[in-house]
Amino acid sequence: MKRLLSGNEAVARGAWTAGAVVGSGYPGTPSTEIMEIFARYPGVYAEWAPNEKVALDVAIGAAYAGRRAFATMKHVGLNVAADSLFYAAMTGIEAGLVIVSADDPSMHSSQNEQDNRQYAKFVRIPCIDPADSQEAHDFAIAAFDLSERFDTPVLLRLTTRVCHTSTPVEVSEQRFVSSDPIKYPRNVAKYVMVPANARRRHGVIEHRIQEISQYAETSPLNRMEIRSSQLGIITGGIAYQYAREVFPEASILKLGLVYPLPAALIRNFASMVERLIVLEELDPFIEHQVRLLGVELYRGKQTLDTPKGIFPIVGELNAQIVRKAAIEAGLIEGEMLQTSPSFPMELPQRPPVLCPGCPHRGAFFVLSKLKVPVNGDIGCYTLGLTEPLNAIHTCGCMGASIGVAHGAAVAGDQERHVAVIGDSTFFHTGIPALINVVYNRSNVITIIMDNRVTGMTGHQDNPGTGKTLQGRDTTEIDIENVVRALGFTYVKTLNGYDVEGIEKTLKEWMKISDPAVLITREECALLPEARAKYVPLEVVEEKCNGCTMCFRVGCPAISKSEKLDPRYQRPLAVIDPSLCTGCEICAQVCPRDAILFRNQVLDKQEIDQ
Amino acid sequence: MENHRFVLVGVGGQGTLLASHLLAEIGLSLGLDVKKAEIHGMSQRGGSVVSNVVWGKPVFSPVVGEGEADTLIAFEKLETLRYLPLLKPSGAIFVNDHEIEPITVSAGKQIYPNNADIEATLHKFTTKVFWIPANQIAEDLGSARVANTVMIGVVLKGLGVELDYGVRTLEKTIQSRYLELNLRALKAGYDWLAISNHKG
Ligand code: SF4
Ligand code: SF4
Ligand code: SF4
């Protein structure tokens, strides 16, 4: 029976079927579910590593020890892991090693849209690019085989649309069991990359990539679909689907192995069709290589030499975009689909916001009040940037907040900088940045917003939660102790909802010139244990005068009621009981005690009964 | 068959993903090729969310582009408008008559359109508009959380798919603790369309 699996689920299943026994990753959209699913299979070890480089080193270590292993991450994670990627490409492995990189064209949940096929070319390793879940499953298995056959890591490159699209998959119930554990290799020339050895290995990997391109000529990962000879399309990954949809009659060279390319196959295909085009998402990765082969591509009505022939270089494709570009290039006849009637009204935006009861809200409320420059980081707490808090001024990549704040401080910026970072991000790359602050003595104040989980990617455990990915109890790393051990003297842990305490502490620290770390600790309001404690608060209408203080905390549960304050004619506040968790941040900021605290609400309920 | 393309829209946290999952599984149980595409991450925190389900034989692109959707299913009123351009001329709209104020509105920066304007706009795109009091129906059954399943019930009836396909899919998909309630919600939605004098 076919099952509906997302690309991520299919990769996890494929890795299990291929006999992978070790998986290490760092959660990142759109890759996260791969490791979560893999962790549930029998006979495997799966973990969350503190960052992608660690994850890849772990997988490399397992592959050196003769066990099939893989590491998962989102595209930008491969930047963090790049150092390890390059040495692993040099050394090769004993058992299959696969690196899964999930790219995010159109940046649905990312800071850039880098095309990680480029990494494969950069490091001289094969890159496999599936087009749906069945291929994600089959290609994952093929990737391990390819890795062992050519003694190389393999990059399994996914994109958001493959990761998070579910399509039917035929799976096998049998698992490939790798051969008996090997004796750990003592092969210094291969595995110790001192210059003398590394120089020899460089020659080896250049030769290897030549061999793999020979293999690519006949690999079942690549296939020709011959239909009409008028138009030929070279494509790979999700773009294949758009090719089939928009050009049902065209002949297609579907590349599963998108690096290295099969030169003879491409030339052969080109000779069979009148017009040849390349259809791919993002970079002209295949297109450039095909041009370098001297194969002529159809460029439509274009006269200028643009980086990409026909299709857009920015953003995700879809069948519509492909169709439009194809019509413009004169590849297909047709008018654009009748566009919809013009839109008569302006719609209010609905940006993501911190959830009602989010424990990050307390510190952001204080920061926006203090009006200090805040260097932000990647996670739920990035949402501190939104109205009405407006409390974040920069955000680059995981772990950047502290370093960027330090940079401003040592550059002599007059204002005191506050860096914010989450618990998971602290473990990811925050620690070295904090070491730098204390070592090079800047006055950065760092707030570690510890919500006891990795929030934005959907609640994964991390070194601070006391649980592993596979649910085992483990050492819970105490952030405050770590920070003290780094040498900070001003360190304090407060409850995330303690608005007054946070304000008082930050104001005190603004007066001294030492670096300091405030840990705001409170579990994410969406965790099941937190949900169980919800007590919705109430506004006492007689006391509220619509002063708007509580609106400024930016909680989605608070809105303006229809009722007006008789004196100023301002709308009163009202709390939606189906959304409010009872975090009491609004109650703390109300100057008129018009919002009942939890125990007041509970007392009132008792009296009512 | 021609592809049938669904677009499901709502607000992060409303359970749009679960509803898409049900619809995709139902398509599979009908013996069709199915693709379901969704976006995770930041927008799940109370932002505007959209997912696509395509039924057909076979399906290639998982992404529904402008003017391509046969059916738009909206779990929140305002979001119906936001994704209207995806609808085919004369496609069908199933809208949950439920309002969730975005932060831009509660902060007083923008205005939530009134019902008359919303209706008028929808009718410019198509005459097939079903207004469903799904939250109300769900609350009457015991929990607003199953409003999505009510909507799926209505859609199945609207498409002329037998209720039984939905029932079997729920039995396969929903945790046993919540199954009973969801089955009642599915049926309530199905019956609602069967007996109501809806506009359409
Ligand atoms: S998921 Fe948790 S941490 Fe993230 S915004 Fe919501 S409450 Fe805050
Ligand atoms: S802060 Fe208090 S008085 Fe002011 S609007 Fe809110 S509830 Fe009313
Ligand atoms: S207590 Fe106030 S701030 Fe907290 S969730 Fe409820 S309404 Fe929002």
Side-chain angles (χ1 to χ4, degrees):
Chain A
M1 234 274 295
K2 288 202 169 183
R3 300 190 214 178
L4 205 51
L5 296 183
S6 71
N8 283 348
E9 291 167 331
V11 168
R13 175 71 188 215
W16 179 78
T17 303
V21 289
V22 172
S24 185
Y26 184 81
T29 312
S31 72
T32 313
E33 298 81 8
I34 302 170
M35 210 42 85
E36 284 181 324
I37 304 283
F38 181 71
R40 295 186 206 145
Y41 285 108
V44 305
Y45 171 81
E47 63 171 28
W48 290 131
N51 70 36
E52 297 83 359
K53 170 171 165 48
V54 175
L56 182 48
D57 286 336
V58 168
I60 292 168
Y64 283 178
R67 312 314 195 267
R68 286 190 166 187
F70 72 127
T72 65
M73 59 203 70
K74 68 181 295 176
H75 61 342
V76 291
L78 197 51
N79 302 335
V80 178
D83 231 0
S84 304
L85 178 69
F86 277 73
Y87 82 72
M90 289 284 274
T91 65
I93 38 75
E94 296 293 313
L97 172 66
V98 174
I99 299 126
V100 182
S101 157
D103 292 9
D104 189 16
S106 274
M107 299 168 277
H108 297 284
S109 204
S110 309
Q111 66 266 42
N112 71 15
E113 62 181 351
Q114 69 190 45
D115 186 333
N116 276 4
R117 293 177 299 174
Q118 304 280 14
Y119 263 115
K121 188 155 171 260
F122 198 177
V123 294
R124 321 286 197 268
I125 64 170
C127 176
I128 297 184
D129 199 1
D132 61 18
S133 300
Q134 183 72 60
E135 285 193 353
H137 171 270
D138 300 349
F139 286 11
I141 299 170
F144 283 101
D145 294 342
L146 197 62
S147 169
E148 283 171 12
R149 176 165 175 173
F150 291 100
D151 187 16
T152 174
V154 172
L155 186 70
L156 181 62
R157 183 256 194 174
L158 309 171
T159 52
T160 299
R161 286 299 169 183
V162 172
C163 294
H164 289 162
T165 295
S166 299
T167 65
V169 180
E170 199 78 66
V171 298
S172 121
E173 296 304 323
Q174 291 247 323
R175 186 178 187 206
F176 171 87
V177 186
S178 39
S179 43
D180 294 335
I182 57 155
K183 187 170 161 26
Y184 195 84
R186 273 116 175 123
N187 190 345
V188 172
K190 183 165 187 275
Y191 291 115
V192 181
M193 284 304 96
V194 292
N197 292 339
R199 279 181 207 119
R200 270 195 304 274
R201 290 298 299 175
H202 188 185
V204 171
I205 71 169
E206 294 298 347
H207 180 69
R208 178 181 74 198
I209 203 69
Q210 296 296 328
E211 275 183 352
I212 303 172
S213 45
Q214 276 311 306
Y215 159 84
E217 301 287 359
T218 53
S219 165
L221 294 168
N222 301 326
R223 68 164 188 267
M224 272 202 255
E225 297 174 5
I226 300 303
R227 282 177 282 268
S228 151
S229 63
Q230 282 176 359
L231 179 66
I233 305 174
I234 304 176
T235 185
I238 190 72
Y240 166 77
Q241 308 293 356
Y242 308 135
R244 291 290 286 125
E245 178 124 3
V246 177
F247 309 97
E249 297 307 320
S251 293
I252 289 183
L253 174 57
K254 155 111 177 46
L255 299 174
L257 189 58
V258 293
Y259 185 80
L261 293 184
L265 188 63
I266 288 170
R267 288 203 178 93
N268 182 16
F269 181 71
S271 72
M272 295 160 76
V273 295
E274 284 160 38
R275 280 176 177 175
L276 181 67
I277 61 168
V278 175
L279 173 50
E280 61 190 322
E281 207 163 66
L282 297 180
D283 293 356
F285 179 77
I286 297 173
E287 187 167 327
H288 275 181
Q289 294 181 74
V290 170
R291 282 180 195 289
L292 285 176
L293 293 175
V295 171
E296 192 159 336
L297 293 177
Y298 175 75
R299 302 213 67 165
K301 296 168 185 152
Q302 251 168 27
T303 44
L304 284 176
D305 197 30
T306 50
K308 226 175 152 184
I310 292 170
F311 303 102
I313 194 168
V314 175
E316 237 188 341
L317 299 178
N318 63 34
Q320 283 266 325
I321 294 170
V322 169
R323 188 173 292 121
K324 182 161 176 273
I327 293 170
E328 273 166 15
L331 279 170
I332 50 175
E333 299 277 307
E335 285 166 50
M336 283 311 295
L337 258 179
Q338 187 204 329
T339 43
S340 22
S342 66
F343 222 67
M345 61 177 110
E346 204 191 315
L347 299 182
Q349 300 293 304
R350 191 188 298 275
V353 279
L354 296 171
C355 306
C358 176
H360 301 321
R361 186 170 277 111
F364 282 128
F365 178 73
V366 173
L367 289 172
S368 76
K369 215 168 130 184
L370 296 179
K371 299 202 164 24
V372 284
V374 176
N375 299 107
D377 218 292
I378 308 256
C380 277
Y381 47 90
T382 314
L383 295 171
L385 90 144
T386 55
E387 300 260 18
L389 293 164
N390 301 318
I392 287 191
H393 306 104
T394 68
C395 175
C397 70
M398 292 277 288
S401 62
I402 301 169
V404 169
H406 178 81
V410 297
D413 192 27
Q414 288 303 304
E415 289 187 273
R416 189 71 179 270
H417 276 252
V418 176
V420 296
I421 191 162
D423 46 338
S424 193
T425 315
F426 166 79
F427 296 116
H428 180 275
T429 27
I431 297 174
L434 269 180
I435 291 174
N436 187 45
V437 168
V438 76
Y439 171 59
N440 284 311
R441 301 231 58 88
S442 69
N443 62 3
V444 167
I445 297 174
T446 301
I447 303 180
I448 302 172
M449 298 186 169
D450 178 10
N451 65 343
R452 317 296 303 133
V453 80
T454 310
M456 176 133 279
T457 44
H459 301 120
Q460 289 74 28
D461 282 295
N462 69 45
T465 63
K467 286 263 186 226
T468 70
L469 168 57
Q470 290 181 306
R472 278 194 307 276
D473 288 324
T474 183
T475 311
E476 184 179 319
I477 301 201
D478 185 320
I479 296 179
E480 178 163 336
N481 280 343
V482 173
V483 174
R484 285 190 192 281
L486 299 183
F488 285 84
T489 42
Y490 291 90
V491 183
K492 197 168 190 175
T493 302
L494 290 173
N495 183 291
Y497 296 138
D498 181 0
V499 176
E500 200 183 318
I502 295 170
E503 181 163 355
K504 193 163 146 266
T505 305
L506 290 180
K507 279 185 169 161
E508 261 168 34
W509 285 352
M510 294 286 169
K511 288 185 214 134
I512 53 155
S513 59
D514 296 69
V517 175
L518 173 63
I519 299 151
T520 56
R521 193 165 198 245
E522 177 59 48
E523 66 190 359
C524 164
L526 295 189
L527 289 177
E529 312 88 74
R531 279 181 202 265
K533 290 181 288 192
Y534 284 8
V535 179
L537 304 191
E538 293 168 27
V539 178
V540 183
E541 281 179 12
E542 299 76 49
K543 284 193 180 176
C544 173
N545 71 351
C547 76
T548 75
M549 262 322 265
C550 63
F551 297 121
R552 284 181 229 169
V553 305
C555 174
I558 307 177
S559 55
K560 294 185 175 132
S561 102
E562 317 250 287
K563 301 202 181 90
L564 298 180
D565 166 63
R567 185 130 167 242
Y568 304 103
Q569 295 298 306
R570 294 182 300 213
L572 304 183
V574 57
I575 292 177
D576 181 342
S578 69
L579 293 176
C580 174
T581 72
C583 75
E584 300 187 326
I585 290 176
C586 57
Q588 290 179 67
V589 308
C590 173
R592 298 176 56 89
D593 297 327
I595 301 178
L596 297 183
F597 283 82
R598 300 162 68 99
N599 51 14
Q600 292 173 305
V601 171
L602 294 172
D603 286 351
K604 192 172 148 236
Q605 281 169 359
E606 238 166 67
I607 295 165
D608 287 351
Q609 275 168 14
Chain B
M1 87 176 228
E2 281 269 297
N3 283 352
H4 191 103
R5 299 183 176 86
F6 300 89
V7 172
L8 296 92
V9 305
V11 177
Q14 270 195 303
T16 311
L17 296 187
L18 176 66
S20 318
H21 184 63
L22 290 176
L23 200 57
E25 287 284 355
I26 291 169
L28 198 64
S29 75
L30 288 167
L32 301 169
D33 187 21
V34 170
K35 285 190 176 167
K36 174 193 68 168
E38 53 201 31
I39 298 297
H40 298 189
M42 211 168 223
S43 55
Q44 293 302 314
R45 307 280 169 257
S48 167
V49 291
V50 55
S51 63
N52 302 324
V53 175
V54 188
W55 291 356
K57 258 184 184 189
V59 180
F60 293 111
S61 168
V63 188
V64 181
E66 257 191 35
E68 285 187 342
D70 299 273
T71 304
L72 174 64
I73 304 170
F75 299 108
E76 201 272 349
K77 278 189 302 193
L78 172 60
E79 297 310 309
T80 328
L81 294 181
R82 202 184 307 283
Y83 295 97
L84 256 186
L86 296 178
L87 194 73
K88 239 184 208 164
S90 81
I93 302 177
F94 295 84
V95 44
N96 179 9
D97 185 6
H98 176 63
E99 178 166 327
I100 301 175
E101 265 194 6
I103 198 84
T104 48
V105 170
S106 51
K109 305 245 165 187
Q110 287 178 301
I111 295 164
Y112 197 102
N114 65 38
N115 272 347
D117 283 351
I118 298 179
E119 266 189 67
T121 310
L122 296 189
H123 281 281
K124 259 188 216 155
F125 279 68
T126 177
T127 51
K128 288 183 222 137
V129 184
F130 302 90
W131 287 89
I132 303 142
N135 272 56
Q136 192 56 55
I137 296 173
E139 269 168 42
D140 292 347
L141 293 172
S143 165
R145 296 195 70 85
V146 292
N148 293 352
T149 315
V150 172
M151 293 287 292
I152 294 297
V154 180
V155 171
L156 287 192
K157 177 73 191 165
L159 293 170
V161 174
E162 276 170 47
L163 181 65
D164 201 41
Y165 287 101
V167 170
R168 272 185 278 144
T169 300
L170 285 188
E171 285 169 351
K172 235 176 52 183
T173 323
I174 308 274
Q175 271 184 42
S176 53
R177 257 191 302 164
Y178 305 110
L179 180 60
E180 226 272 327
L181 180 62
N182 274 282
L183 285 173
R184 280 193 288 140
L186 186 80
K187 184 154 187 324
Y190 203 86
D191 292 344
W192 179 86
L193 190 60
I195 58 175
S196 83
N197 290 321
H198 59 80
K199 296 178 208 153

